Amino acid sequence: MKVKIKGVREVAVAGEFIKLDSLLKLSDIANTGGMAKILIQNGEVYVNGKICTERGRKIRPGDFVRYNREIIAVTAADDG
């Protein structure tokens, strides 16, 4: 069975990294931290193609996060 991907959405983060649960909230995949925690602990979130169950995982620019059919490409925020 093929899964159609909606497309890649870029999310810019300030600083060196963002925690996975915070990224899910920032990108509107999860409405709350509790919802993000459940999605991550249930093995529904992939980081760079691998299931990630660590909600505090550091996500850095260049990483890709996938949930369901949504892909988030993490980029660095402009400093200027």
Side-chain angles (χ1 to χ4, degrees):
M1 178 172 112
K2 285 189 171 181
V3 176
K4 287 191 173 188
I5 301 297
K6 285 185 176 180
V8 177
R9 184 167 36 129
E10 288 188 8
V11 173
V13 296
E16 186 180 332
F17 66 87
I18 185 171
K19 290 184 180 179
L20 180 57
D21 58 350
S22 297
L23 177 67
L24 294 180
K25 290 190 301 182
L26 177 67
S27 60
D28 293 326
I29 289 175
N31 295 326
T32 65
M35 182 179 176
K37 176 182 174 181
I38 291 169
L39 296 176
I40 295 165
Q41 288 182 340
N42 285 344
E44 299 179 50
V45 179
Y46 292 75
V47 176
N48 299 325
K50 297 180 182 176
I51 292 174
C52 181
T53 57
E54 304 167 58
R55 73 180 209 211
R57 166 100 183 246
K58 293 178 181 178
I59 306 299
R60 301 174 192 283
D63 286 340
F64 289 87
V65 174
R66 179 171 66 89
Y67 167 72
N68 203 2
R69 297 182 301 160
E70 294 186 59
I71 297 176
I72 304 300
V74 180
T75 61
D78 290 337
D79 290 336

